[in-house]
Amino acid sequence: MNNSEKLYQAMLTNSLQRVVEEIHLLEEQRGTLSSMVKGTDEKIERLRVEATRIQEELKSRENATQYGGNVVATLDTAMTALTSKEQELSDKLKRLEALRRTTTTKRGNKKLNRAIYKARKRDLRMKKIVRATNQIQRVMIMPRQALAKWRTRKVAKVQGKYNYAENKLQEYNQKGALSTLEGLNRAKMIRKRERALEKLRSLQRKGVTNRILGARQMNVNRTQTQNLRNQQQPQNQNTQPMTPPQQVPIQMPPRDDSITAESLARENTTAPTTQVSQTLSKAA
Amino acid sequence: MEDNKITLTTLDNKQIEVEVLDIFNLEGYPGKDYIMYTLGEQVSEDNEKVYISILKEKDNDNYELVGITDDKEWEDVYQAIEEEMKSGEENE
């Protein structure tokens, strides 16, 4: 029987002893404390079941050792060899590093650095192999625990992904809520057709007495401006559609830079513009 | 006069005719009328230049088209117009 198997069997034997002792203790207690009889009975029953299970596992492990003994023994031998090799490499690396600290020549440093680099790589490789072999041994000795641990890791991984996704979703929802709020906070246009028409007629009646002192400009899609023009039409379906402004001669004054389109507002296609009413007053 | 054209006098007493596209109010700016108009200037094949002023009525019932001096106010007007244009497109 190999060492690890012995160890595990010892563990099981200890557990069995502990359980049996507890059973004895509780049986004694049952004798003296009449009010706890029922609870103690149940506990004893559970522990008996546990003791039976451990006994059965011990038996099965004793049998199993005969079948899997070679594999486990081989692994044990390999593990011993690997551990000692790993220790050797580790010691070598330490020696090299100590030597490096005392070396002063360039050539010596260069050689030692190369040797240390190689030794470190070998050491890391060896540690990896030892870890892997250890893991195999643990799984063979305690398959249930190893399986449970693996399952827990899997679940934790999935849970981690789920938590991450949930957090991201919350973030997006918060951003969405913020931008909705921002949207709500934006000033909205209030359009009242009747009032607009009334103002327009009033402006038309006043004619040239209406003065223009300043303006801001923006670029708007022609489809949208055409929509606005169509909306200005009376509700009568027989009305002829408005001709686009460029087809109607506009009474423009003689060319004068001070009152060109540019003088009404400063050019700005994407951002809000600044007022240039001062330009109009300069031209006066 | 055409349905939506008006004549305006500039500071140097020149007269220009503009086409009014809309007169509207803005939330958060009570009692203020804004007027959107155009001189028929094409910026590109798809876009047209429009002008926006505050429409003020004077004591003698005449009107003045005043520029928007406050940047925040202009920002609000600009965004409100853009949103209105967008929702107009969606409703088509």
Side-chain angles (χ1 to χ4, degrees), chain A residues 186 188 190-191 195 204 206 208 210-211 213-214 216 220 222 225 227 229 232 245 261 272 275, chain B residues 3 9 19 21-22 25 27 33 41-42 46 48 50 52-53 61 65 68-69 74 78 83 89 92:
Chain A
R186 277 204 204 130
K188 285 206 170 65
I190 304 166
R191 299 175 73 197
R195 193 162 179 276
Q204 285 173 336
K206 298 297 171 190
V208 299
N210 300 318
R211 296 184 72 79
L213 305 177
R216 294 244 196 180
V220 176
R222 282 184 62 193
T225 52
N227 282 343
R229 288 185 184 98
Q232 294 283 336
Q275 188 187 357
Chain B
D3 268 355
T9 305
E19 185 193 4
L21 295 174
D22 203 359
N25 301 109
E27 248 181 29
D33 292 321
E41 297 154 295
Q42 304 296 325
D46 297 325
E48 190 176 351
V50 302
I52 298 102
S53 302
D61 284 341
L65 274 61
I68 301 168
T69 51
W74 170 236
Y78 188 93
E83 279 214 31
E89 269 183 3
E92 278 175 13

Side-chain angles (χ1 to χ4, degrees), chain A residues 96-111:
Chain A
L96 284 169
E97 281 169 349
L99 205 59
R100 170 81 175 77
R101 280 192 287 274
T102 57
T103 311
T104 51
T105 61
K106 253 189 187 176
R107 195 156 168 253
N109 280 336
K110 201 175 171 181
K111 276 192 168 182

Side-chain angles (χ1 to χ4, degrees), chain B residues 13-27:
Chain B
N13 292 321
K14 299 260 173 25
Q15 285 169 15
I16 54 167
E17 193 177 70
V18 304
E19 185 193 4
V20 174
L21 295 174
D22 203 359
I23 298 171
F24 57 92
N25 301 109
L26 201 67
E27 248 181 29

Side-chain angles (χ1 to χ4, degrees), chain A residues 182-195:
Chain A
E182 277 167 19
L184 288 170
N185 286 339
R186 277 204 204 130
K188 285 206 170 65
M189 221 182 192
I190 304 166
R191 299 175 73 197
K192 292 174 188 165
R193 196 171 175 278
E194 292 303 320
R195 193 162 179 276

Side-chain angles (χ1 to χ4, degrees), chain A residues 10 23 27 51 60 62 94 114 128 151 153 193 198 219 221 236 241 247 267 284:
Chain A
I23 291 172
E27 274 176 339
S60 69
E62 278 165 6
K94 279 186 189 142
R114 210 178 306 139
K128 254 189 183 174
R151 278 186 185 148
R153 265 207 306 270
R193 196 171 175 278
E198 189 192 306
N219 294 339
N221 193 285
N236 191 351
Q247 295 176 11
E267 190 81 30

